[in-house]
Amino acid sequence: MKMVTVLRSARSGLVVGAAFMALLGAAPAFAADVTGLWATPSRGGQVEITKCGASVCGRLVSSEGIKADPALKDANNTDTGQRGRLLKGLLILKGFSGGPTEWTGGEIYNAEDGKTYGATLTLNADDTLNVRGCVFVPLCKTQTWTRVR
């Protein structure tokens, strides 16, 4: 009788374990890929992040300002020679190394103040991206971007 109970318990454990493993296999895998279209939390911004050699880079695709005026210029750039360039398509992320979930040593350009900051990118499993820009550590600000596609 004792042996039958032990066998039933072992069989139940195997069934539960097999069901658990099947559920794990059915769950979508976390794709550690930072490339894609990302929505920023301010002014309706959208940034397309792509591979740039061994690094990644990002271009401003859209914003409230660009939607209102597709010819919107980089008017706040601290370099007066750059103020005539279009914001749409502007390279705002560059120079990162690392991956697949954390990219460091890069730069982010902020068109609102016309300045460039040191930056890191951290990809989260929930299709969000933490973008941290720093004047110098510890003077940093982090935004959470959300994947559009």
Side-chain angles (χ1 to χ4, degrees), residues 10 16 25 29-30 40 45 47 50 62 75 90 95 112 116 121 124 131 133-134 138-139 142:
V16 169
F30 170 50
T40 71
V47 177
T50 59
S62 185
L90 186 65
E112 290 179 16
T116 300
L121 307 174
N124 303 308
V131 180
C134 301
L139 294 177
T142 301

Side-chain angles (χ1 to χ4, degrees), residues 54-69:
S55 184
V56 294
C57 58
R59 295 189 179 276
L60 183 60
V61 174
S62 185
S63 70
E64 292 168 356
I66 291 171
K67 286 177 184 173
D69 178 7

Side-chain angles (χ1 to χ4, degrees), residues 74-85 109 113-115:
D74 188 15
N76 297 325
N77 197 306
T78 55
D79 178 352
T80 57
Q82 298 290 319
R83 291 182 180 169
R85 63 188 184 167
Y109 174 71
D113 67 8
K115 296 179 184 175

